[in-house]
Amino acid sequence: MTIQELDQTYVAHTYGRFPLVLTEGKGSLVRDENGKQYIDLGTGIAVNGFGIADDEWLAAITAQAARLNHTSNLYYSAPCAKLAQMLCERTGMKKVFFSNSGAEANECAIKAARKYAELHYPGQRDTILTLTNSFHGRTITTLAATGQDVFHKDFLPLTGGFASVEPTPEALEAAVAAGNVTAVMFEAVQGEGGVLPLTQAFADCMQRLAKEHDILLIADEVQAGNGRTGALCGYMNLGLQPDIVSTAKGLAGGLPMGATLLGEKVQDVYTPGSHGSTFGGNPVCAAGAISVLSRLDEALLAEVRAKSDYIVQTLQAAPGVKSVSGMGLMLGVETAADASAVIRECMARGVLVIKAKQKVRLLPALNIPWPLLKQAVETLCAVCAELEVQA
Ligand SMILES: *Cc1c(COP(=O)(O)O)cnc(C)c1O
């Protein structure tokens, strides 16, 4: 059997995969089983922030794997402790809980908010607000948090205690007036929802209501974090001060790791035995994350913003492109032609891009070399223009 046939036969059919078997890569280039090369503008969905098999990252994780690949959370280990320090110092948060995925990072955030409500407003605050069109994960609880019914159907009943509101100041004011709200959970830029940034007016309103009513703000930075938007965290672009921050995808540069950052108000809600994870804080993943985080400095972030400006300006002026949304290197392109057709044709011409709702989504490596970026964007422009004419 071919790899595709094996996969179709034995792997659960949860993914609509492209007919492409990827075998190896370096940086922003990746090859398929036939040796054909592609420029990667998807990075495993905002995971490989420094590309594939980045030298510095590889050295860090292999050295750590050879020294101590895993230990239980019954003992201390240096990479986990040092990474937590870096995350707190860079964000002003106070404590970190480590897990293995975005959904788990959000579960920890949700449990922390519930525990805070139980400690301070017993029996009064049973609701976490999330935003329509949001995406927070695939577990039963993070599905409940996800404000898109399409993901809910077939899996009822979901965890209670969630309500979704439109991301407008009016809708939020009305929902908060009910008096039972513990927290508002948001993505600074909704990724799966179509690469849509929150408006500044909504962010300001959310921050004001949080202060007035002691409502916790939970920033889901699973996709928008780790330098992706041109700031370390997406919420920083909006001047927000969340109480809880979850992140994952790009954190460990291609190894599975989630982190939940707990601010002043919630730093002590967790006590020994109240939460845990076998693999959480794994030393190899933590070493990878330290390598990533130590390079997310102002120079790199300025480079991300410059590349973003180039992509946005080039695409906005291109025939066949209707609009460009997003921030930094997390961009959504509304094309005149069908987005899936654009994606397929880009693939045929050696450029990998992905989808978000009906948009073409671009999530290139933060350090993608300029010549590769230009070549990929020119290919995308050509495809958009040609398919528009055919449409
Ligand atoms: C991908 C994503 C998640 C889920 O992360 P997993 O690692 O797939 O569990 C949660 N929130 C946001 C914003 C995401 O983009």
Side-chain angles (χ1 to χ4, degrees):
M1 281 198 263
T2 65
I3 298 297
Q4 292 191 40
E5 285 163 352
L6 267 181
D7 189 294
Q8 295 266 329
T9 306
Y10 293 113
V11 177
H13 289 181
T14 56
Y15 306 106
R17 299 198 205 272
F18 292 105
L20 189 59
V21 180
L22 297 177
T23 52
E24 61 186 329
K26 191 73 187 166
S28 287
L29 292 172
V30 62
R31 276 182 208 281
D32 70 14
E33 58 184 343
N34 304 314
K36 180 175 168 179
Q37 187 163 276
Y38 303 82
I39 302 173
D40 178 17
L41 300 189
T43 54
I45 316 189
V47 168
N48 299 324
F50 287 90
I52 296 166
D54 168 75
D55 286 329
E56 201 176 317
W57 172 85
L58 195 58
I61 66 161
T62 51
Q64 183 58 47
R67 206 177 295 129
L68 179 68
N69 60 299
H70 176 75
T71 175
S72 74
N73 279 309
L74 299 174
Y75 310 106
Y76 296 98
S77 69
C80 167
K82 287 181 181 165
L83 175 59
Q85 177 190 22
M86 284 174 92
L87 287 168
C88 288
E89 287 179 356
R90 294 286 297 270
T91 59
M93 305 299 279
K94 302 296 181 196
K95 299 268 190 294
V96 184
F97 176 83
F98 290 110
S99 53
N100 317 284
S101 68
E104 282 175 278
N106 285 335
E107 290 271 347
C108 173
I110 291 161
K111 282 177 76 172
R114 286 195 170 182
K115 185 94 187 274
Y116 182 83
E118 191 53 39
L119 288 169
H120 297 274
Y121 306 96
Q124 296 167 52
R125 297 191 168 190
D126 60 3
T127 299
I128 294 176
L129 294 179
T130 66
L131 305 180
T132 50
N133 211 32
S134 58
F135 183 83
H136 296 299
R138 302 287 196 159
T139 63
I140 289 293
T141 295
T142 55
L143 272 183
T146 293
Q148 301 188 56
D149 282 339
V150 48
F151 293 111
H152 296 170
K153 68 176 184 57
D154 302 339
F155 300 111
L156 303 177
L158 301 177
T159 307
F162 293 92
S164 65
V165 292
E166 292 288 331
T168 65
E170 302 72 38
L172 190 65
E173 295 258 13
V176 164
N180 62 347
V181 175
T182 299
V184 184
M185 188 165 177
F186 65 94
E187 297 154 87
V189 184
Q190 292 185 334
E192 304 307 308
V195 202
L196 300 169
L198 294 181
T199 64
Q200 189 63 54
F202 180 77
D204 292 344
C205 172
M206 189 165 63
Q207 187 71 67
R208 178 175 56 76
L209 290 173
K211 283 221 170 77
E212 284 173 10
H213 301 277
D214 187 25
I215 290 170
L216 300 172
L217 294 186
I218 305 174
D220 179 345
E221 292 281 331
V222 172
Q223 191 163 157
N226 307 298
R228 185 51 52 194
T229 65
L232 181 66
C233 301
Y235 69 78
M236 292 173 174
N237 296 294
L238 296 162
L240 286 163
Q241 293 175 305
D243 301 288
I244 304 174
V245 178
S246 59
T247 188
K249 288 192 168 85
L251 177 59
L255 288 174
M257 178 172 239
T260 309
L261 284 55
L262 306 171
E264 188 97 46
K265 284 185 186 176
V266 293
Q267 63 171 318
D268 295 321
V269 296
Y270 283 121
T271 49
S274 60
H275 198 48
S277 164
T278 299
F279 285 115
N282 172 274
V284 179
C285 300
I290 288 171
S291 163
V292 167
L293 211 57
S294 64
R295 284 183 283 164
L296 294 179
D297 55 13
E298 190 38 50
L300 191 276
L301 295 174
E303 187 79 8
V304 168
R305 297 192 294 269
K307 285 170 181 166
S308 176
D309 289 346
Y310 159 74
I311 299 173
V312 172
Q313 279 160 24
T314 307
L315 287 173
Q316 274 176 345
V321 173
K322 288 184 168 171
S323 69
V324 183
S325 63
M327 277 185 199
L329 291 177
M330 181 174 177
L331 297 169
V333 187
E334 190 194 353
T335 53
D338 173 55
S340 295
V342 171
I343 292 166
R344 276 197 304 275
E345 187 55 26
C346 282
M347 187 183 296
R349 298 186 196 188
V351 174
L352 298 185
V353 293
I354 62 176
K355 221 176 155 187
K357 287 278 173 72
Q358 294 313 313
K359 290 180 186 170
V360 174
R361 180 167 31 158
L362 310 181
L363 299 162
L366 306 181
N367 68 343
I368 184 172
W370 277 103
L372 288 182
L373 178 62
K374 287 187 172 163
Q375 191 186 329
V377 169
E378 280 162 21
T379 302
L380 176 59
C381 286
V383 169
C384 287
E386 285 173 38
L387 293 191
E388 178 189 34
V389 173
Q390 286 168 24

